[in-house]
């Protein structure tokens, strides 16, 4: 059984995990970098330990210091959150070797799903549709050209280790392939220390749809519906909602079946997300599986009433899931907006600084997951996410009205944010009708304050 959890992360997700620990009557220890000495997650925990300097490589990615902090403070488990060490199989192994429970996927599952090119192979072998492209990794530009000619342009050159939209380049014809290949490889090497690439046909005007699941060690597995994540900038999600306007009950059943196949193909235990792109013709293709808690998990929590972090902790300690598939019910509609410290006038570049005033929204149907407070520092060393605002309503329109209200109430001063873009989205015609794809933010925003829903 787990009594004391070390949280190997920072910011809003550390606060989020602290909350589930408290609800489960568990103690928790957070780790922090020198830059995060005054951070909220450090003071909210039972105990907190500094694990190194500001640079993530020296602190939040410092496996030795994190594991020794866990042992020294008497923890029996480690929750990695998302990003950082959450999908690092060596870290999971080292945690387990130290006699601690890793609240995440087994190292072998992380390995077989973490390399996106080999994960695609595994899916194809298990009857999950994948996008036409290379069989595994592509070693040379000439091989890339041959495959691209076979599947037809445009193609995407993608990093096997990719994440957060990095290591991905588009080529519309053969003349663009060489540059796409070297740029994607260089970016992947810089970001992930791994330049391996694969090729995939580009699906024009796609939607990003993903399925949340949780699996335990007793053969229990539940899927918790889909999330629509097509509102993206530079292939990064900005807004997510559930259910998706593009998913019929038939498609939902199919996606759910694919997600279960994906999880079973890797003997998966933990919360996980199977991501798909959906073509305008309605065909869904697997793109990757994230073997961790996702940023947008609260959308699913809102409509199912399930605490996904609690389920993660349960299954990690060997307990069965608290629900069966028949027990999962869906209520209403939820939308999440990601508020980031970014400058809209400088192409949404990160905008770090000191927050001198904050007013967070609240009220019926609103949840805010954040770690910001007046006077806090937004460090240039880490992700620019400031807060997630989640609106829940009985209908999609009710959720939209509540999100409008929440964004009207939200005030953050001291750093530039993308608040105005989020607000405009709540009046964007394509968003309001629900007929949008991953191009929505590059199309001109359509502001019409008068139009009723
Ligand atoms: P989600 O799929 O949960 O929305 P994102 O792709 O937006 O997740 O990534 C969540 C967080 O994890 C972000 O802070 C992102 O920068 C980070 N991240 C994602 N993939 C990786 C990776 N391979 N290595 C390091 N950080 C990553
Ligand atoms: P990451 O690991 O960075 O999250 P993904 O493979 O999940 O990368 O893709 C991120 C986004 O890029 C998707 O949500 C989608 O918008 C776009 N994308 C990825 N693959 C394709 C494809 N083959 N065709 C069209 N869009 C794609
Ligand atoms: Mg992805």
């Amino acid at each position: 059984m787990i009594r004391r959890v070390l949280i190997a992360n920072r910011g809003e997700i550390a606060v989020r995990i602290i909350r589930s620990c408290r609800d489960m009557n568990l103690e928790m220890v957070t780790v922090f970098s020198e830059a995060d000495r005054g951070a909220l997650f450090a003071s909210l925990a039972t105990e907190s330990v500094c694990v190194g300097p500001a640079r993530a490589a020296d602190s939040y990615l410092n496996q030795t210091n994190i594991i020794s902090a866990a042992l020294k403070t008497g923890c029996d488990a480690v929750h990695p959150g998302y990003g950082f060490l959450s999908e690092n199989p060596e870290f999971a192994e080292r945690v387990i070797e130290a006699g601690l429970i890793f609240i995440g996927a087994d190292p072998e599952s992380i390995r077989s799903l973490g390399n996106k090119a080999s994960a695609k192979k595994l899916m194809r072998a298990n009857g999950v549709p994948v996008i036409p492209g290379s069989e595994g990794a592509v070693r040379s530009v000439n091989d890339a050209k041959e495959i691209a000619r076979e599947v037809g342009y445009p193609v995407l050159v993608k990093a096997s280790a990719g994440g957060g939209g990095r290591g991905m380049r588009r080529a519309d014809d053969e003349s663009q392939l060489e540059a796409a290949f070297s740029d994607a490889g260089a970016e992947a090497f810089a970001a992930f220390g791994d330049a391996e690439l694969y090729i995939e046909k580009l699906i024009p005007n796609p939607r990003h749809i993903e399925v949340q699941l949780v699996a335990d060690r007793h053969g229990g597995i539940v899927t918790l519906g889909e999330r629509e994540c097509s509102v993206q900038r530079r292939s990064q999600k900005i807004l997510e909602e559930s259910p998706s306007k593009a998913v019929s009950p038939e498609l939902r059943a199919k996606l759910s079946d694919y997600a279960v196949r994906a999880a079973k193909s890797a003997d998966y235990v933990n919360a996980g997300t199977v991501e798909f792109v959906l073509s305008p013709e309605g065909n869904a293709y697997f793109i990757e599986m994230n073997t961790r808690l996702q940023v947008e998990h609260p959308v699913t929590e809102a409509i199912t009433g399930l605490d996904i972090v609690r389920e993660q902790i349960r299954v990690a300690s060997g307990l069965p899931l608290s629900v069966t598939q028949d027990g999962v019910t869906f209520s209403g509609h939820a939308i999440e907006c990601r508020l980031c410290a970014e400058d809209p006038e400088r192409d949404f570049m990160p905008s770090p600084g000191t927050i001198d005033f904050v007013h967070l929204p609240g009220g019926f149907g609103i949840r805010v997951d954040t770690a910001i407070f007046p006077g806090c520092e937004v460090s240039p060393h880490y992700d620019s996410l400031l807060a997630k605002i989640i609106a829940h309503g009985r209908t999609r329109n009710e959720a939209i009205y509540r999100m409008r209200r929440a964004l009207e109430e939200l005030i953050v001063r001291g750093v530039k944010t993308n608040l105005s873009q989020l607000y405009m989205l709540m009046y964007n015609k394509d968003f309001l009708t629900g007929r949008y794809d991953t191009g929505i933010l590059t199309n001109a925003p359509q502001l019409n304050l008068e139009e009723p829903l």
Side-chain angles (χ1 to χ4, degrees), residues 121-405:
K121 267 196 201 165
L122 184 64
M123 292 312 134
R124 192 166 18 206
N126 283 275
V128 180
V130 297
I131 302 172
S134 57
E135 269 271 356
V138 175
R139 304 285 166 204
S140 70
V141 189
N142 280 339
D143 290 355
K145 283 183 181 162
E146 199 171 307
I147 289 150
R149 240 174 270 143
E150 249 167 62
V151 299
Y153 286 92
V155 296
L156 275 180
V157 181
K158 298 173 77 170
S160 298
R166 281 173 300 174
M168 202 174 351
R169 289 290 184 282
R170 173 189 177 132
D172 286 317
D173 53 50
E174 194 162 305
S175 74
Q176 296 179 352
L177 194 60
E178 204 152 328
F181 199 79
S182 62
D183 290 357
E187 187 172 281
F189 190 75
F192 314 111
D194 179 354
E196 189 184 282
L197 300 171
Y198 64 105
I199 297 221
E200 205 164 81
K201 198 172 168 59
L202 181 126
I203 306 293
N205 310 314
R207 298 175 80 125
H208 173 117
I209 311 279
E210 59 187 33
V211 174
Q212 174 73 56
L213 62 85
V214 198
D216 65 23
R217 283 200 195 284
H218 306 271
I221 178 161
V222 295
T223 56
L224 303 177
E226 79 280 4
R227 290 185 292 256
E228 161 78 66
C229 312
S230 299
V231 183
Q232 302 183 349
R233 187 188 325 107
R234 298 192 278 259
S235 303
Q236 287 228 30
K237 301 160 187 165
I238 306 291
L239 174 152
E240 304 89 357
E241 61 175 321
S242 186
S244 166
K245 278 271 197 182
V247 177
S248 63
E250 294 72 35
L251 180 57
R252 185 168 299 122
K254 201 148 88 174
L255 293 175
S256 181
D257 171 57
Y258 294 156
V260 170
R261 281 167 191 260
K264 289 195 170 157
S265 73
D267 295 321
Y268 195 78
V269 174
N270 181 32
T273 302
V274 185
E275 297 190 334
F276 301 91
V277 292
L278 182 67
S279 74
E281 298 76 39
N283 298 316
Y285 305 92
F286 170 91
I287 47 171
E288 65 162 339
M289 178 160 175
N290 290 321
T291 57
R292 56 170 163 89
L293 184 66
Q294 265 186 308
V295 174
E296 59 273 24
H297 74 279
V299 166
T300 302
E301 293 186 327
I303 63 162
T304 60
L306 279 172
D307 176 340
I308 294 172
V309 175
R310 175 170 183 263
E311 296 304 320
Q312 282 190 296
I313 296 173
R314 281 180 65 92
V315 303
S317 41
L319 292 171
L321 290 165
S322 70
V323 280
T324 58
Q325 191 67 63
D326 290 343
V328 176
T329 54
F330 299 95
S331 151
H333 195 99
I335 303 172
E336 172 184 276
C337 284
R338 299 192 190 190
L339 182 75
C340 298
E342 294 172 343
D343 186 351
E345 283 164 22
R346 294 180 53 219
D347 197 26
F348 296 92
M349 292 279 288
S351 166
T354 305
I355 292 184
D356 39 56
F357 181 82
V358 188
H359 179 265
L360 295 174
F364 205 139
I366 296 296
R367 163 176 171 181
V368 181
D369 278 19
T370 185
I372 63 171
F373 57 88
C376 78
E377 291 293 327
V378 179
S379 166
H381 288 100
Y382 314 115
D383 203 85
S384 61
L385 183 66
L386 293 176
K388 304 186 305 204
I389 297 94
I390 302 102
H392 184 213
R394 286 165 299 182
T395 61
R396 185 170 189 266
N397 286 355
E398 192 169 72
I400 291 172
Y401 281 124
R402 286 181 176 159
M403 184 61 86
R404 287 180 177 177
R405 183 234 304 160

Side-chain angles (χ1 to χ4, degrees), residues 63-64 66-68 70-71 75-78 88-103 105-108 111:
Q63 303 188 24
T64 305
I66 291 171
I67 293 170
S68 95
L71 296 172
C75 290
D76 34 38
V78 175
N88 183 315
E90 289 83 41
F91 180 65
E93 256 159 20
R94 287 182 65 178
V95 167
I96 296 162
E97 277 160 18
L100 303 163
I101 293 173
F102 183 65
I103 306 175
D106 292 336
E108 307 80 63
R111 269 205 187 92

